[in-house]
Amino acid sequence: MRLLPGLLLLLSFPVLAQSITFNGYVRDERTGEVLIGASVAVPSQKIGTTTNHYGFYSLLALTADSLNLVVSYVGYRTSNLRLLHPTSQQLNLTLTEAASQLNEVLISDQVTDQNIRQTQMGSLNLSLKLNKTLPALFGERDILKTVQLLPGVQGGQEGTTGFYVRGGNSDQNLVQLDEAPVYNPNHLFGLFSTFNTNALNRVTLIKGGFPAQYGGRLSSILDVTMREGNSKKFSGQGGIGLIASNLTLEGPISGGRGSYMISGRRTYLDLLLKPFLPKNGKTNYTFYDFNAKINYRLGERDRLFLSVFTGRDNAQYTGASSLNYGIRFGNNTATFRWNHLFSNTLFANTSLITNTYQLSLSTLQSGYVAQIYTGLRDYTLKSDWEYYPSPKHTLRWGGIVTNHAFAPLASSARLPKSGKIPVFPTDSITRQYATEAGLYLNDDWILTERAALSAGLRLPLFRNPTATYARLEPRLSVRYLLGTVTSLKVSYSIMNQFLHLVPNSTASLPADIWLPSSAVVRPQTSQQIAVGWFRNSRNNAFEMSIEAYAKEMRGQVLFREGTQLLKSSEIEQNLAFGRGWSIGLEFYLRKNAGRFTGWLSYTLSKTMQQFANLNRGKAFPFAYDRRHNLALVGSYELSSHWTVAGNLTFYTGRPYTLPVGRVQINGGSTLYNDIYADYTSRNNYRLRPYHRLDVSVTHKKNRTWFGHPGTSEWVFSTYNLYSRLNPYFVYATTDDFTRQPIAREVSLLPIIPSVSYQISF
């Protein structure tokens, strides 16, 4: 590994000898928080760069008597720094947040023209400030609900945070928090995500044209970064909503050499529901999440970071009928990172990561009990390097190795005569172990004033006792400027996925199961090609893009039809394997300036799947195939204190499967009460179209808290303003009079008003 940096430095020596190098970090002047994606440029030489995921930049400029350095970031005042007789040096830069509230309602923290000039396509950065003004279900702000409003993204069931990108399943999204994967980023059966907005710095969604440093999933990367904390002074913020409260505290360490941030959120839903429950039934649901991060500067070239996260859900229900269930699930992550600057042009980040996910669920109905347990544990070591040989050339390379441990258990049987649900024998579950590794190299190169490319290669490897898989993943993105405000981009990428979340759409299981690739379960593979047209107008007040994509996926996994699992060892033998394909056209228009800001997104797409052992081998629509998907999001600033925001969504109803009849078999003893459904085809019906309007009103006021200046903020929001009874699911039953099978539709969320109160100090 040491030979490569030395060789690159030697090859670039003629360039460095004629240039000067500026490098350092760009931070918020008030808090010291790093600004990810800030622009640092020398306009006179038509060169510039952006800060990386750690707020670091390196810029090579030609030698001159004086240079004007321009630093900009959306929502902050642009800084112009005049340098006389400049020399190579480290320049740590700060920006001051703009006083105007108008800039706080941008979807993206991208720099001016970056969407036109960057080679990366299919990538969007979410504005956390905008997220705080949008309508919130039960007063809980949620970044995953905002993700669902972007082009190319399909939401799951109504009100949930599940998302499906360009025809992929939910497990094909890599959701990572400070580089640690989060396998189930949800609370309350998916109604809320585990991400506390107050603890976050930046959220980036990548849905195509994947850089080579990302791998392990087919459809998207949701990269979530925690805040580092205020290195200038002690501060905090907290809030109360309808079902949960939150508190965030932060401050400096060792006189500003470091900082800390701690943030927690806990529901009191169990207390609110208690008065409304029937006397012969009881329920309990609690969830919480906790984030903490510490960073410390050892010197000008070294920084250490430690971030941890934990989230838990615990639900129990005992009904008046025979239905009873209990569920517990949660995530833990910890990331230790070391940033080191080897030279003015060579930066490295090395991380040690551990993460766990556990889910246990028991259901009891009509004398039968079903149980499931899923446990995952990962240990990861990764190292990422960035080298800047010239203003038009950036090299990235690195490696990663992860040790996986899986603990699946699934069973169904009659309830013992004692009437007690058997305790999970988690200690005796046979663990499955696997190792996943990867090496990558990515080259970003500005070829001419109009043309640029990003070419990469990733070499993933997966190994367990039953199989070994080694693959090649080429990545290529090309950008061509059609003018000063218009560009055309093309990308191609191959992705492989070695972990599988088997959905329960055809098996009578209460939850999904994670499985590793094996001799039976082969890896999932995708190929995606995309073409995009990007244009800005009116001095970047408007941004518009049109992207078309075609995507093929192989190694898709579903349960066989009629599967009844009695023990976990039968899982692989009851799987069906097939392929899927998706094509789509995505339109995106965003308004950045003025009192009214927001965006319009529309997606026209079609996603199909085909399995030799399902649906008689015929192709059928994907479970979340929605032909039309429209979202309109807007925010209007009435004054410096009042803001009105809203979002309107419409999409085609998703497909589902209905039986055409039922067959009763006497003498059996199964969880199905001896009644079996007769199906003619898979996903043979569609739910009614879905549409909903949410609105919110925010009032913000400057106040003094504990002798320190701060703010207070009321957010009044209404979910589903006109109380549209959107279909949640459809189930088959029997008409009480005709005794004929019929389908009934269930709606979940009518109009729901909410209020929350937030303070900062």
Side-chain angles (χ1 to χ4, degrees):
M1 182 66 77
R2 293 181 179 179
L3 292 176
L4 182 57
L7 178 60
L8 294 173
L9 285 169
L10 183 61
L11 292 174
S12 61
F13 179 78
V15 176
L16 296 176
Q18 303 172 27
S19 307
I20 54 177
T21 304
F22 306 110
N23 67 79
Y25 295 86
V26 180
R27 296 186 174 92
D28 184 303
E29 190 276 334
R30 182 178 61 87
T31 66
E33 189 84 28
V34 298
L35 301 179
I36 303 171
S39 172
V40 183
V42 179
S44 61
Q45 299 184 8
K46 297 182 179 181
I47 58 173
T49 187
T50 57
T51 55
N52 64 12
H53 281 74
Y54 315 103
F56 176 82
Y57 78 94
S58 180
L59 179 63
L60 279 75
L62 299 177
T63 303
D65 293 335
S66 65
L67 289 176
N68 189 38
L69 200 64
V70 178
V71 188
S72 62
Y73 191 70
V74 170
Y76 287 75
R77 294 190 181 95
T78 299
S79 174
N80 290 273
L81 183 62
R82 185 74 170 177
L83 302 175
L84 297 176
H85 307 292
T87 59
S88 295
Q89 58 184 299
Q90 186 173 38
L91 284 175
N92 292 319
L93 307 167
T94 60
L95 293 177
T96 303
E97 192 169 5
S100 172
Q101 300 300 312
L102 295 177
N103 288 331
E104 294 191 356
V105 285
L106 300 175
I107 182 181
S108 170
D109 292 335
Q110 297 179 38
V111 300
T112 302
D113 283 340
Q114 186 180 354
N115 62 315
I116 301 296
R117 297 185 176 276
Q118 69 176 1
T119 309
Q120 173 73 49
M121 64 182 300
S123 176
L124 292 169
N125 299 315
L126 303 185
S127 170
L128 298 176
K129 293 180 180 179
L130 171 62
N131 190 76
K132 292 180 179 180
T133 66
L134 291 180
L137 181 60
F138 297 116
E140 290 300 302
R141 300 158 171 170
D142 202 320
I143 61 168
L144 293 189
K145 292 243 180 29
T146 306
V147 168
Q148 295 176 352
L149 302 173
L150 300 176
V153 181
Q154 304 281 0
Q157 290 181 308
E158 180 187 17
T160 64
T161 58
F163 65 100
Y164 303 80
V165 180
R166 291 184 172 178
N169 214 330
S170 60
D171 68 312
Q172 296 174 2
N173 305 314
L174 175 60
V175 180
Q176 56 183 28
L177 179 64
D178 273 5
E179 303 180 4
V182 180
Y183 286 98
N184 185 355
N186 297 301
H187 282 313
L188 199 61
F189 301 119
L191 288 180
F192 309 105
S193 76
T194 58
F195 299 120
N196 183 353
T197 304
N198 292 339
L200 305 182
N201 180 355
R202 187 175 175 89
V203 180
T204 301
L205 175 70
I206 303 175
K207 55 186 179 177
F210 301 97
Q213 59 263 37
Y214 294 108
R217 297 296 189 274
L218 298 192
S219 295
S220 78
I221 310 295
L222 187 67
D223 194 356
V224 183
T225 304
M226 272 195 243
R227 295 177 55 202
E228 297 179 1
N230 194 326
S231 62
K232 304 290 185 178
K233 62 178 181 179
F234 173 77
S235 62
Q237 54 184 314
I240 299 175
L242 288 184
I243 66 170
S245 295
N246 63 83
L247 177 65
T248 302
L249 301 174
E250 54 189 319
I253 298 175
S254 300
R257 291 182 64 89
S259 60
Y260 70 89
M261 183 279 299
I262 56 174
S263 183
R265 180 174 55 166
R266 206 273 191 192
T267 183
Y268 31 76
L269 184 64
D270 50 334
L271 303 178
L272 295 176
L273 291 177
K274 191 173 182 179
F276 303 99
L277 296 175
K279 295 181 179 180
N280 55 353
K282 63 179 181 179
T283 188
N284 179 60
Y285 201 117
T286 60
F287 71 78
Y288 73 87
D289 49 62
F290 174 79
N291 299 74
K293 190 169 185 176
I294 297 174
N295 76 94
Y296 190 79
R297 188 175 71 254
L298 297 177
E300 294 300 324
R301 293 182 176 270
D302 295 277
R303 297 186 72 195
L304 299 178
F305 302 83
L306 175 63
S307 56
V308 296
F309 164 78
T310 183
R312 286 289 183 275
D313 281 62
N314 190 347
Q316 295 179 344
Y317 176 77
T318 302
S321 63
S322 60
L323 175 63
N324 299 271
Y325 72 79
I327 182 171
R328 296 189 305 275
F329 65 90
N331 301 273
N332 294 305
T333 72
T335 305
F336 177 76
R337 294 191 286 117
W338 169 43
N339 286 175
H340 180 66
L341 182 62
F342 285 90
S343 70
N344 292 335
T345 57
L346 183 60
F347 176 89
N349 174 75
T350 302
S351 303
L352 291 171
I353 305 167
T354 178
N355 57 283
T356 60
Y357 169 63
Q358 292 180 321
L359 179 146
S360 61
L361 188 149
S362 300
T363 59
L364 172 64
Q365 187 174 20
S366 302
Y368 293 91
V369 59
Q371 295 180 297
I372 187 171
Y373 177 85
T374 295
L376 292 93
R377 186 271 303 150
D378 294 341
Y379 294 134
T380 301
L381 170 65
K382 66 189 295 280
S383 187
D384 302 291
W385 298 65
E386 298 181 10
Y387 176 57
Y388 309 87
S390 76
K392 298 181 179 181
H393 208 186
T394 301
L395 287 171
R396 294 179 175 88
W397 69 90
I400 181 173
V401 58
T402 300
N403 176 264
H404 300 287
F406 302 83
L409 173 67
S411 66
S412 60
R414 282 187 177 275
L415 184 69
K417 293 182 179 180
S418 63
K420 295 182 179 180
I421 298 177
V423 178
F424 273 125
T426 55
D427 294 337
S428 61
I429 298 176
T430 301
R431 264 62 176 177
Q432 303 176 26
Y433 296 94
T435 299
E436 185 175 356
L439 296 173
Y440 74 87
L441 174 65
N442 203 92
D443 187 358
D444 293 309
W445 192 5
I446 300 176
L447 302 174
T448 67
E449 290 204 3
R450 290 185 176 271
L453 66 81
S454 176
L457 180 65
R458 187 178 181 90
L459 308 175
L461 173 71
F462 186 86
R463 183 176 184 180
N464 64 16
T466 65
T468 298
Y469 296 100
R471 300 292 172 89
L472 293 176
E473 297 179 353
R475 319 283 176 83
L476 179 64
S477 296
V478 178
R479 181 267 289 164
Y480 187 80
L481 293 176
L482 300 177
T484 58
V485 296
T486 308
S487 66
L488 182 67
K489 302 178 186 180
V490 180
S491 69
Y492 173 79
S493 58
I494 291 180
M495 306 288 283
N496 287 278
Q497 181 170 331
F498 303 100
L499 307 184
H500 312 265
L501 181 64
V502 183
N504 61 5
S505 58
T506 57
S508 292
L509 291 172
D512 299 332
I513 301 174
W514 282 94
L515 292 175
S517 294
S518 64
V520 176
V521 183
R522 297 181 63 82
Q524 302 179 64
T525 301
S526 73
Q527 295 186 73
Q528 182 179 174
I529 185 170
V531 179
W533 177 81
F534 302 81
R535 181 178 175 83
N536 291 358
S537 63
R538 295 189 181 181
N539 197 26
N540 301 301
F542 289 89
E543 297 181 10
M544 183 172 64
S545 66
I546 301 175
E547 294 188 51
Y549 72 88
K551 178 179 176 182
E552 182 186 29
M553 298 164 284
R554 295 189 176 275
Q556 306 297 281
V557 181
L558 290 174
F559 278 113
R560 293 177 181 269
E561 292 166 343
T563 295
Q564 302 179 48
L565 290 185
L566 301 180
K567 53 185 178 180
S568 59
S569 61
E570 296 180 351
I571 293 177
E572 288 191 351
Q573 286 69 37
N574 284 278
L575 297 178
F577 305 96
R579 67 188 187 100
W581 59 94
S582 181
I583 57 174
L585 183 68
E586 302 166 1
F587 176 81
Y588 185 49
L589 174 64
R590 189 177 80 200
K591 186 176 184 293
N592 296 325
R595 287 182 175 272
F596 177 79
T597 56
W599 74 90
L600 169 69
S601 73
Y602 170 72
T603 303
L604 174 66
S605 63
K606 180 180 180 180
T607 304
M608 302 291 289
Q609 291 182 314
Q610 187 173 25
F611 290 70
N613 297 322
L614 295 178
N615 202 46
R616 299 179 178 87
K618 297 179 181 179
F620 55 88
F622 174 56
Y624 290 95
D625 169 58
R626 297 184 174 109
R627 201 58 43 87
H628 304 280
N629 194 332
L630 175 71
L632 176 62
V633 181
S635 179
Y636 185 77
E637 188 179 78
L638 298 172
S639 68
S640 59
H641 297 294
W642 291 94
T643 301
V644 179
N647 54 265
L648 174 66
T649 57
F650 171 88
Y651 48 76
T652 305
R654 68 180 182 88
Y656 68 100
T657 304
L658 269 183
V660 297
R662 298 190 301 174
V663 178
Q664 185 169 356
I665 301 177
N666 296 323
S669 58
T670 73
L671 190 63
Y672 301 90
N673 291 325
D674 307 330
I675 297 176
Y676 293 83
D678 179 21
Y679 297 91
T680 58
S681 60
R682 194 180 185 92
N683 290 341
N684 52 349
Y685 290 90
R686 282 188 180 269
L687 298 175
R688 292 183 293 117
Y690 180 100
H691 53 86
R692 189 189 80 244
L693 173 64
D694 308 332
V695 296
S696 68
V697 178
T698 302
H699 180 263
K700 189 172 184 179
K701 188 175 182 179
N702 295 326
R703 293 184 180 274
T704 300
W705 302 104
F706 314 109
H708 299 281
T711 63
S712 66
E713 186 177 89
W714 284 98
V715 180
F716 306 92
S717 62
T718 301
Y719 178 92
N720 197 0
L721 181 64
Y722 50 84
S723 199
R724 158 80 171 179
L725 295 180
N726 288 298
Y728 189 71
F729 66 88
V730 171
Y731 68 95
T733 185
T734 303
D735 186 90
D736 293 336
F737 297 100
T738 65
R739 310 305 301 171
Q740 295 298 313
I742 60 173
R744 294 192 185 277
E745 185 180 87
V746 176
S747 298
L748 181 64
L749 300 175
I751 180 173
I752 301 177
S754 304
V755 60
S756 63
Y757 183 69
Q758 301 283 331
I759 67 170
S760 64
F761 56 89

